[in-house]
Amino acid sequence: MTAPDPDGLLAEQLLRLTRRVHRIQKRHLEHRDLGITPAQSRLLRTLAHYGSPPRMADLAERLEVVPRAVTTLVDGLEAAGKVRRVPDPANRRVIRIELTDDGRAALRELRGARRSAAEEILAPLTDEQRTVLGGLLDTLIDGPGADTGEGRRTP
């Protein structure tokens, strides 16, 4: 008989939780009828973190995907009126991506969908358990020894 593998069990639990989070977020997105895929949602959220419109290569790097994947996402979001391609004022060969007003409105809806999904997932936990879970997740995300100051996490 082999001894149980606690790290293997934890890894499986993390994978199952990740899949559950994705399913629930996808369902909340579909209920809001935004017509935005989870990948497009991630691109919009990433785009919103830039102070000025980024290049597609910047988005690809930040999202850790190949540039072609960003092109496909931007094409879909542009067709839906959520983003637009704009020329770089300093170099006309460079194209930058910016949110439209519809894109900003979609982001507000996306944030609401994510909050609703998080509330559903976290509902069984007490406030104290949520605080402990947040600290544990910070440690796993940032790695050991990282400064995990209060309020650093973003929704």
Side-chain angles (χ1 to χ4, degrees):
M1 193 176 216
T2 60
D5 176 10
D7 289 341
L9 177 60
L10 282 173
E12 180 61 29
Q13 288 174 306
L14 284 171
L15 290 172
R16 288 176 49 212
L17 177 60
T18 300
R19 286 192 296 266
R20 182 168 184 249
V21 167
H22 285 222
R23 273 194 319 272
I24 291 171
Q25 283 184 342
K26 184 176 180 184
R27 188 180 76 238
H28 280 268
L29 278 176
E30 288 169 354
H31 284 191
R32 291 178 184 251
D33 199 26
L34 293 173
I36 295 174
T37 67
Q40 289 173 329
S41 167
R42 185 171 174 232
L43 186 136
L44 285 174
R45 289 191 322 269
T46 300
L47 190 55
H49 283 66
Y50 283 91
S52 60
R55 300 172 306 137
M56 293 238 247
D58 299 328
L59 287 169
E61 184 178 329
R62 176 83 58 94
L63 292 168
E64 298 178 346
V65 298
V66 296
R68 177 69 192 130
V70 171
T71 300
T72 301
L73 293 172
V74 168
D75 287 348
L77 289 168
E78 187 175 38
K82 310 294 186 221
V83 301
R84 71 177 143 252
R85 289 171 165 93
V86 294
D88 185 306
N91 182 347
R92 66 182 189 186
R93 293 176 296 167
V94 174
I95 298 296
R96 296 191 174 267
I97 308 303
E98 71 178 10
L99 284 169
T100 63
D101 289 342
D102 282 351
R104 282 185 275 286
L107 264 174
R108 286 189 293 277
E109 286 291 319
L110 290 168
R111 287 182 185 118
R114 290 181 74 204
R115 255 191 314 280
S116 297
E119 288 170 10
E120 181 178 335
I121 291 164
L122 298 173
L125 302 180
T126 66
D127 288 344
E128 182 180 335
Q129 289 171 322
R130 289 176 188 211
T131 300
V132 170
L133 177 62
L136 293 170
L137 290 173
D138 280 343
T139 299
L140 293 174
I141 291 165
D142 300 331
D147 178 19
T148 56
E150 278 303 312
R152 184 195 54 74
R153 230 175 300 121
T154 55

